[in-house]
């Protein structure tokens, strides 16, 4: 007798009746909606059966799984640790009080960073769907959360991969000595050779970035046509990303082993090399010297909250997508704390490296203020020459020069001593002398005041030109940037592609092709201005609203108590009670304050961009023209539009409830179960499978608890003709039980 059948005896009768599993299930009492749990289990949410630790369909629902816990952690670390840790965090640290900035950052990491990161990990792991499917299940009327998250992922991915393209270009340019940005180009004017004026007015690295790399226009209105070198670099970047995500976590998981670990190797190499450079200790000391008076300013806390928010990748969907491939009994609380700590430590490590190198650069520039090295000969700078001229013309007395000062071996300390004496004695006429102070502190402030592309492609590259074996360090640095960007892009693409369709290989390929074509906007000669526009407007406010709605939908609509109970069932232990209050009260309040501060900042700051003026060889702020301003606000509106649209459509039943649709892989596994169950039923009835007619119509949809039979349910959902019909495995989301 088949193992799925059961022999029972009717009351008042000796006749044995063989009932199939289908018959027993058909007589089962309907499910209680209020007692339902956040689970994809048809039977109730127990732990999944133990399977082999390889990337294969999960035994429970056919969803792929990670090779190992290490691969999963590396994927989450690779997604959360990105370019912002290297070129955004050091800038904010220097700007907002040095070491004092670490205090508000760490406090906000505890209050909103780890709790919300834990929430996204737990929801993805429990429901085992992508970002759209998760929020459709939790509360269908807020299903627009997943769509908005998808829109933001798309906007960010478009310009983020352009930065990877820039890094690829610099990477290949680094295979030459001397580095092409180490000296200004010489232009021939007849028989006379002159330095390129634009380069002479700025610097060699600045000129190479704006003119050789971007070939930038002076306004956003002048597109200038495509920059073919950047177009090829962007194409290469999208090919790399496509190959990394083409087979889902089967391909991206293997890439993460290298792309997540290699940046740490480079950072440690730079740190070891950097601390032995002259001036490195000065740079590190400058960064960590706390300015306590700045720490209490509201702007510092707002920027710390924003950095915590984006550093962990909250709201992008990548965190949820990655965790959905875990087993349900995985300890996601440990994962949340571990990844958050790794992210924080990485930011500190990157800041040490950046300020060690920038300290070296500041020291070099400070020495150039006093003496210069031209053609390997030590010559006096303009400031020292001015002092000598004033001494020869008797404007300054020889008595003002300390006796130990030797102009043929002038040091920075000697110049500083002379400068101080002259400033005191000639107080009334000192301004007319035109002497520069040449203070290391000023150079450090100048070096630390750059961020983003200015730090990576101008300040840091200039510092590396002074390294011994500079091409080697340049290759390592830009290869690190490529890997940091690739890890974040894999998470972004996974968030886009995991909408219950990730089994289809053509989806990530199609996404990459469309994204490359859209990304041509950013490889025009004016493309850098659009990168800045998307960076300022496409993610900040929409993503904050997405995350607060995620928090509210779980803590207030689904219910914090019920969610804590689900976590206890899933993890085997109850999370700390403090999470109850953080999710329900603290995090929503903090996010509301952040949204308010962001709106105020956008209102008081004039919308514009820093345009490169070729004649002046410097940046100048310009306001956006009306069409560009409309484009800025369109980015915000388009990203947030799915939220009200989905809510209204589902409220009036214009849009079907997407909370109970199954993934393709799950439906394939159910097809096999349906075939086996039907064969057993026909065998019990005494008919050969080939002779028995199909017991149920093939096009009749399952309407949830109370409908006829699970055999009909499975037959309908797995039939080819009814593949798109609604299939419900879970009851409707329960009412809130806070």
């Amino acid at each position: 007798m088949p193992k799925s059948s059961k022999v029972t005896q009717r009351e008042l009768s000796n006749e044995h009746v063989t009932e199939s599993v289908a018959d027993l299930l058909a007589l089962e009492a309907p499910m209680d909606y209020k007692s339902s749990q956040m689970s994809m289990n048809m039977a109730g949410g127990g732990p999944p059966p133990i399977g082999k630790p390889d990337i294969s369909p999960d035994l429970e629902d056919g969803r792929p799984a990670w090779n190992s816990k290490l691969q999963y952690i590396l994927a989450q670390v690779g997604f959360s640790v990105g370019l912002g840790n290297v070129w955004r965090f050091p800038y904010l640290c220097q700007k907002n009080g040095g070491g004092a900035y670490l205090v508000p950052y760490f406090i906000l990491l505890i209050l909103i960073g780890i709790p919300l990161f834990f929430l996204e990990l737990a929801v993805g792991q429990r429901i085992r769907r992508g970002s759209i499917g998760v929020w459709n299940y939790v509360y269908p009327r807020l299903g627009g959360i997943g769509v908005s998250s998808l829109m933001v992922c798309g906007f960010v991915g478009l310009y983020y991969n352009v930065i990877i393209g820039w890094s690829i270009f610099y990477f290949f340019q680094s295979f030459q000595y001397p580095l092409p940005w180490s000296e200004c180009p010489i232009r021939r004017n007849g028989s006379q050779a002159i330095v390129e004026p634009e380069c002479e007015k700025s610097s060699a690295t600045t000129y190479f970035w704006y003119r050789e790399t971007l070939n930038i226009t002076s306004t956003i209105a002048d597109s200038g046509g495509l920059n073919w070198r950047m177009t090829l670099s962007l194409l290469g970047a999208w090919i790399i990303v496509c190959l990394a995500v083409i087979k889902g976590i089967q391909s991206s998981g293997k890439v993460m082993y290298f792309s997540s670990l290699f940046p740490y190797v480079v950072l440690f190499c730079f740190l070891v090399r950097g601390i032995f450079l002259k001036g490195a200790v000065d740079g590190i000391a400058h960064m960590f010297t706390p300015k306590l008076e700045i720490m209490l300013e509201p702007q510092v806390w707002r920027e710390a909250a924003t950095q915590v928010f984006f550093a962990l990748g909250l709201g992008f969907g990548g965190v949820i997508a990655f965790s959905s491939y875990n087993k349900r009994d995985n300890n996601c609380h440990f994962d949340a704390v571990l990844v958050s700590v790794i992210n924080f430590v990485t930011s500190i490590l990157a800041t040490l490296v950046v300020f060690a190198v920038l300290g070296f650069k500041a020291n070099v520039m400070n020495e150039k203020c006093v003496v210069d090295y031209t053609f390997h000969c030590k010559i006096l700078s303009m400031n020292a020459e001015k002092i000598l001229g004033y001494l020869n013309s008797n404007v300054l007395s020889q008595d003002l020069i300390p006796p130990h000062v030797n102009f043929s071996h002038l040091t920075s300390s000697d110049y500083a001593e002379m400068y101080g004496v002259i400033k005191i004695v000639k107080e009334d006429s000192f301004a007319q002398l035109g002497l520069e102070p040449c203070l290391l502190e000023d150079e450090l402030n100048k070096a630390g005041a750059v961020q983003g592309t200015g730090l990576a492609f101008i300040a840091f590259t200039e510092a590396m030109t002074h390294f011994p074996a500079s091409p080697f360090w340049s290759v390592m640095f830009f290869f690190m940037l490529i890997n940091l960007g690739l890890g974040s892009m894999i998470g972004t693409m996974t968030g886009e592609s995991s909408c219950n369709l990730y089994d289809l290989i053509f989806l990530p390929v199609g996404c990459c092709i469309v994204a490359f074509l859209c990304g041509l906007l950013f490889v025009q000669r004016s493309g850098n201005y659009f990168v800045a526009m998307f960076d300022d407007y496409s993610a900040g406010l929409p993503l904050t609203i997405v995350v607060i709605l995620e928090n509210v939908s779980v803590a207030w609509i689904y219910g914090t108590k019920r969610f804590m109970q689900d976590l206890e069932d899933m993890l085997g232990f109850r999370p700390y009670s403090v999470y109850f209050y953080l999710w329900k009260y603290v995090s929503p309040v903090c996010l509301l304050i952040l949204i308010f501060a962001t709106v105020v900042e956008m209102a008081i700051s004039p919308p514009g961009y820093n345009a490169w003026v070729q004649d002046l060889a410097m940046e100048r702020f310009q306001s956006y023209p009306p069409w560009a301003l409309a484009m800025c606000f369109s980015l915000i509106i388009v990203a947030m539009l799915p939220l009200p649209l989905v809510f209204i459509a589902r409220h009036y039943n214009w849009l079907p409830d997407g909370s109970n649709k199954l993934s393709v892989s799950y439906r394939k596994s159910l097809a096999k179960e349906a075939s086996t169950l039907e064969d057993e039923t026909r065998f019990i009835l005494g008919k050969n499978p080939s002779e028995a007619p199909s017991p149920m119509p093939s096009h009749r949809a399952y309407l949830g608890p109370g409908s006829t039979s699970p055999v009909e349910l499975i037959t309908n959902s797995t039939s080819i003709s009814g593949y798109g019909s609604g299939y419900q495995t879970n009851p409707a989301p329960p009412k809130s039980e806070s």
Side-chain angles (χ1 to χ4, degrees):
M1 184 177 294
K3 63 181 180 180
S4 58
S5 63
K6 181 178 179 181
V7 178
T8 61
Q9 189 173 19
R10 290 183 180 176
E11 287 187 59
L12 305 177
S13 171
N14 293 325
E15 180 183 0
H16 289 77
V17 179
T18 304
E19 295 179 339
S20 68
V21 173
D23 296 325
L24 293 173
L25 291 176
L27 298 174
E28 207 172 55
M31 283 189 181
D32 181 11
Y33 284 73
K34 293 186 178 180
S35 64
S36 68
Q37 295 195 352
M38 211 181 264
S39 168
M40 280 295 294
N41 261 346
M42 290 184 66
I50 299 174
K52 296 180 180 179
D54 59 355
I55 296 179
S56 57
D58 187 271
L59 297 180
E60 191 175 335
D61 63 2
R63 193 168 182 82
W66 293 102
N67 259 348
S68 63
K69 182 66 173 283
L70 175 62
Q71 189 182 75
Y72 164 67
I73 293 297
L74 289 178
Q76 290 286 15
V77 169
F79 176 56
S80 65
V81 175
L83 298 173
N85 296 76
V86 175
W87 67 29
R88 177 71 177 167
F89 187 89
Y91 161 76
L92 292 174
C93 197
Q94 190 271 343
K95 175 187 174 185
N96 295 315
Y101 173 74
L102 301 178
V103 176
Y105 184 88
F106 187 74
I107 291 174
L108 291 169
L109 180 66
I110 299 297
L111 292 181
I112 62 174
I114 294 178
L116 293 176
F117 193 63
F118 179 29
L119 183 145
E120 287 199 356
L121 289 180
V123 168
Q125 180 174 309
R126 184 66 171 175
I127 303 177
R128 300 179 64 77
R129 304 187 194 179
S131 182
I132 292 180
V134 158
W135 304 113
N136 276 337
Y137 178 80
V138 174
Y139 187 59
R141 290 183 183 179
L142 287 181
I145 292 175
V147 184
S148 287
S149 177
L150 184 70
M151 299 295 294
V152 173
C153 276
F155 289 149
V156 172
L158 287 178
Y159 76 84
Y160 204 87
N161 221 29
V162 175
I163 300 173
I164 299 179
W166 294 339
S167 302
I168 291 173
F169 176 75
Y170 267 78
F171 173 75
F172 285 107
Q173 290 291 319
S174 299
F175 287 95
Q176 49 187 307
Y177 184 83
L179 291 171
W181 51 81
S182 60
E183 295 177 355
C184 285
I186 304 298
R187 191 168 67 180
R188 291 284 176 183
N189 186 8
S191 59
Q192 189 178 13
I194 60 172
V195 178
E196 178 65 42
E198 186 180 3
C199 184
E200 190 175 23
K201 292 176 184 176
S202 54
S203 68
T205 51
T206 304
Y207 174 82
F208 188 86
W209 167 244
Y210 283 112
R211 191 54 51 210
E212 297 292 338
T213 303
L214 301 178
N215 195 16
I216 199 165
T217 58
S218 296
T219 65
I220 193 173
D222 180 12
S223 70
L226 289 178
N227 183 334
W228 68 269
R229 288 190 292 186
M230 293 303 101
T231 304
L232 292 178
S233 298
L234 179 64
L235 178 61
W238 277 114
I239 290 174
I240 294 172
V241 170
C242 185
L243 293 176
V245 302
I246 192 169
K247 292 185 178 179
I249 61 171
Q250 295 185 21
S251 54
S252 63
K254 295 180 177 66
V255 173
M256 285 297 183
Y257 279 114
F258 183 80
S259 66
S260 297
L261 294 176
F262 180 75
Y264 290 96
V265 175
V266 177
L267 285 175
F268 276 111
C269 289
F270 265 97
L271 182 61
V272 172
R273 181 68 187 92
I275 58 178
F276 292 106
L277 295 171
K278 185 178 180 181
V281 176
D282 296 323
I284 294 174
H286 175 78
M287 191 279 287
F288 280 108
T289 301
K291 303 177 183 67
L292 299 178
E293 67 279 2
I294 300 178
M295 189 179 71
L296 299 178
E297 295 179 4
Q299 177 75 4
V300 174
W301 289 80
R302 185 188 73 83
E303 293 190 343
T306 304
Q307 180 62 18
V308 166
F309 190 79
F310 288 104
L312 294 174
L314 299 174
F316 282 99
V319 173
I320 293 175
F322 281 152
S323 65
S324 70
Y325 301 114
N326 271 329
K327 296 182 182 298
R328 278 208 191 96
D329 58 352
N330 173 64
N331 188 349
C332 55
H333 176 258
F334 172 80
D335 299 342
V337 176
L338 177 64
V339 174
S340 300
V341 170
I342 291 175
N343 189 291
F344 180 63
V345 172
T346 304
S347 297
I348 300 296
L349 175 62
T351 303
L352 285 172
V353 171
V354 167
F355 273 88
V357 174
L358 293 183
F360 166 70
K361 174 180 176 284
N363 190 273
V364 171
M365 300 306 294
N366 188 58
E367 287 186 351
K368 280 188 175 183
C369 185
V370 180
V371 294
D372 200 357
Y373 292 85
T374 304
F375 303 112
H376 308 285
C377 296
K378 184 175 179 181
I379 63 172
L380 295 178
S381 74
M382 186 179 296
N383 293 294
E385 283 185 347
K386 282 181 181 179
I387 294 177
L388 274 177
Y390 294 144
L391 290 173
N392 294 332
S393 60
N394 294 323
V395 174
L396 295 177
S397 171
Q398 189 69 40
D399 297 336
L400 298 178
I401 308 301
H404 64 275
V405 172
N406 184 352
F407 277 89
S408 61
H409 296 87
L410 192 62
T411 64
S412 299
S413 58
D414 290 341
Y415 177 81
E417 188 176 354
M418 281 193 305
Y419 180 88
V421 173
I422 295 171
K423 185 176 181 180
I424 293 173
V425 175
K426 296 287 185 178
E427 184 177 357
D428 297 335
S429 59
F430 181 77
Q432 285 138 19
L433 296 178
L435 297 177
E436 297 178 13
C438 295
L439 295 176
L440 182 62
E441 183 76 13
D442 293 341
E443 293 295 339
L444 285 169
N445 287 330
K446 252 192 252 181
V450 292
Q451 63 165 320
T453 55
L455 175 62
F457 298 107
I458 298 177
F460 214 89
T461 52
E462 183 175 353
M464 286 188 295
T465 58
H466 302 289
F467 280 23
S470 55
F472 168 78
W473 294 104
S474 183
V475 167
M476 294 283 283
F477 176 71
F478 288 109
F479 195 40
M480 178 191 72
L481 292 188
I482 292 170
N483 281 275
L484 284 173
L486 182 61
S488 299
M489 276 302 299
I490 287 174
T492 301
M493 290 299 295
T494 303
E496 288 184 23
S497 306
S498 60
C499 313
N500 296 332
L501 295 171
Y502 204 81
D503 301 323
L504 306 176
I505 290 180
F506 69 81
L507 183 64
V509 176
C511 285
C512 290
I513 293 174
V514 172
F516 167 71
L517 295 176
C518 294
L520 295 178
L521 171 70
F522 306 101
V523 290
Q524 304 175 98
R525 291 179 57 196
S526 61
N528 188 48
Y529 304 138
F530 289 100
V531 170
M533 176 195 292
F534 273 64
D535 190 39
D536 291 338
Y537 290 94
S538 67
L541 184 60
L543 211 58
T544 313
I545 293 175
V546 163
V547 174
I548 193 173
L549 289 177
E550 289 180 357
N551 193 354
V552 168
S553 63
V554 171
W556 289 90
I557 298 177
Y558 184 80
T560 313
K561 289 181 181 178
R562 179 169 290 121
F563 186 55
M564 294 285 281
Q565 182 61 47
D566 288 342
L567 291 177
E568 184 176 0
D569 296 339
M570 182 172 69
L571 303 177
F573 64 90
R574 192 172 185 84
Y576 299 114
S577 299
V578 67
Y579 283 111
F580 178 92
Y581 300 100
L582 290 174
W583 283 328
K584 197 170 181 65
Y585 304 110
V586 178
S587 294
V589 170
C590 290
L591 290 173
L592 281 174
I593 294 173
L594 181 58
I595 290 174
F596 176 76
T598 303
V599 172
V600 170
E601 179 72 16
M602 292 175 63
I604 64 177
S605 299
Y609 62 102
N610 290 319
W612 178 257
V613 183
Q614 184 174 0
D615 295 336
L616 302 176
M618 62 182 295
E619 286 186 332
R620 177 176 288 176
F621 182 83
Q622 292 188 14
S623 298
Y624 282 121
W627 64 267
L629 195 59
M631 188 174 178
C632 292
F633 291 106
S634 295
L635 292 173
I636 299 175
I637 294 171
V638 169
M640 295 194 298
L641 198 58
L643 296 169
L645 288 183
V646 173
F647 185 90
I648 294 171
R650 290 219 166 115
H651 179 76
Y652 292 103
N653 296 320
W654 298 339
L655 189 67
D657 184 346
S659 63
N660 296 311
K661 290 182 180 177
L662 295 180
S663 64
V664 174
S665 57
Y666 197 5
R667 284 186 287 195
K668 288 179 180 177
S669 65
L670 285 175
K672 294 182 180 179
E673 296 177 12
S675 177
T676 304
L677 189 57
E678 288 178 28
D679 288 346
E680 290 179 357
T681 305
R682 291 164 186 152
F683 176 81
I684 293 167
L685 294 175
K687 296 182 179 181
N688 293 326
S690 60
E691 298 173 356
S694 177
M696 298 294 172
S698 61
H699 295 286
R700 185 175 173 185
Y702 177 59
L703 302 176
S707 109
T708 53
S709 166
V711 176
E712 176 187 351
L713 178 152
I714 298 172
T715 305
N716 294 334
S717 65
T718 55
S719 64
I720 297 176
S721 59
Y723 216 58
S725 61
Y727 177 84
Q728 299 185 356
T729 60
N730 294 301
K735 296 179 181 178
S736 173
E737 247 182 53
S738 301

